[in-house]
Amino acid sequence: MKKKIPVKVITYIFLAFIAILVIFPIYVTFATAFKTTEESTKNFFSWPQNIYIGNFVKVMADAHFWDYIKNSFLITVISVVVTGIMIPMVSFSIARLMRKYKYFKILYFVFVLSLFAPFQVLMVPLTQLCTKLGLMNQAGIILIYCAFALGQGVFLFVGYYKSIPVELEEAAVIDGCTTTQTFFKIVFPLAKPMTMTVIILNTLWIWNDFLLPLLILNKSASNWTLPLYQYNFKSAYTFDYNLAFASFMFSIVPMIIMYICLQKNIIEGLTAGAVKS
Amino acid sequence: MKTKNKMTRKEKILLSWTIIPLALYTLFFIVPVAMGINYSFTDWNGLTQTYNYNGIANFISLFTSKRILNSLAFTGKYTFFLVIIIMFLAMLFTILLTYVVSTRLRTFFRSVIFFPVVLSLVTVGLVWNQIMYRVLPQLGQMLGIGWLSSNILGDPKTAMWGVIFVNVWQGVAVPFVILLAGIQNVPTDLYEAAKIDGATPFKLFTKITIPFLIPTINVAFVMVLKSGITVFDYIQAMTAGGPMRSTESAGVLIYELAFTDSKAGQASAYAFLLLIIIALISVLQMKVSSKVEVGQL
């Protein structure tokens, strides 16, 4: 019994240290964003004595500032909504017909294949392709996200549909439902937990993505997303890091709010996404 | 085509649902992969309309170019330490939270440790870049720690560790929650049976917990391995491959070759090498995990 107490004490001290290490950069971001340059030069660690919003005013004065917010928001929402309907539908076709027709089985393996490809392979050709097709813009990147989301989404959904009994669908057909009605009234509601998982995985990925916007949207500032804007202003803010931290707040705060609201779903979703793929 | 005539109305509707996804996937995945393979056999610079085929010259250059070999060595070293540190910490957190910490605090610590996952890799890199540039040197001087008194990212000897630290800060979360979920799925009746047989807690852990966790460890391990091999965002945001190319990873160099150095052909060949490495790891993982599962049954 005597031995147990020190182990506990050391564990809690260690974990408290880890917790501080996790929160520290977030604290610094908040504190610095609300301080003037003079105040943070004096003491980087202190909480701002007077809340100074001048940094935010300056960041928002950027001619394209609202474009970055709008782009990030629209690209994420449209891609997530489209994939949130398209993936459940195509996965349903595959799950129900892959044992009967070769086409669906091959389709499944072709989609899942993309999980193995590192993005570097697609970098050069994708840029070339989008230039030729005139898709170096928001519409182009949305189409690409929809295509890239298929691999993991189809993999997760096909596995999930196997657990939904076919008898329910047959009963709905007897009651006079068409195939489309059966899907949307019976199957889609039953698959809600998996839809939630896929939506969370895709939202985090698309909102936070950097490499694809860097390739497709970097040419004109009016096309930038928030991560791209922060990256491009890295050098512009070298001398005014309070501004840099204020700009980080715009992508961190929405995610903190989302994490607080949907924490359980996010942890479960990412665990499921990782374990099953 | 025989099957098509036999298809019922329902099956035709389901078939129509696959058309748009397949078209998107073909255009943005299959076509680009094919284009990339084609480019890797050319001297294309990424800008002109024309290019010449040069056989396997690009692939030979992967093993003769000093810069490429340097980036391969860096990526290997980076991945090695990343995997060791993340797996060790993820396992440590899992053990501490499962066996030492009370249930209420377990939920709290899990939430805190997991939080960085929701942030953008590039934002995390930029925030830490500022901290390492401005805050840590101040702290180092205050505490009189030599190596901390100057920017760690500015020195070729320490820059890699700065990036690894940030990658671990964010990257430990998912392996950790996977292991935590895995350890809670170990059937408790096995523990009780072993306890009756007089097994020590250490024996319980090594003989029951670890074998049950192996498939989960395998998943987490391969995930971290792949993320290390393809690392890009953190480096681009923190050091851009510098100082003096000391942090130039494969992912960063492929980007540089393609878009800065006008060597799209060589970049494609290098990307293809990465694809082969990742594919081999995935195949190996599937073989190992299927064996483990068979062994358990």
Side-chain angles (χ1 to χ4, degrees), chain B residues 141-163:
Chain B
Q141 280 159 11
M142 248 159 58
L143 303 172
I145 305 170
W147 59 271
L148 208 60
S149 304
S150 58
N151 182 8
I152 343 175
L153 297 174
D155 185 339
K157 278 187 218 123
T158 51
M160 183 183 87
W161 298 105
V163 181

Side-chain angles (χ1 to χ4, degrees), chain A residues 83 87 144-154 198 202 205-206:
Chain A
T83 53
I87 292 172
I144 297 173
Y145 282 133
C146 292
F148 288 1
L150 281 164
Q152 190 182 43
V154 166
V198 169
N202 289 339
W205 163 48
I206 296 169

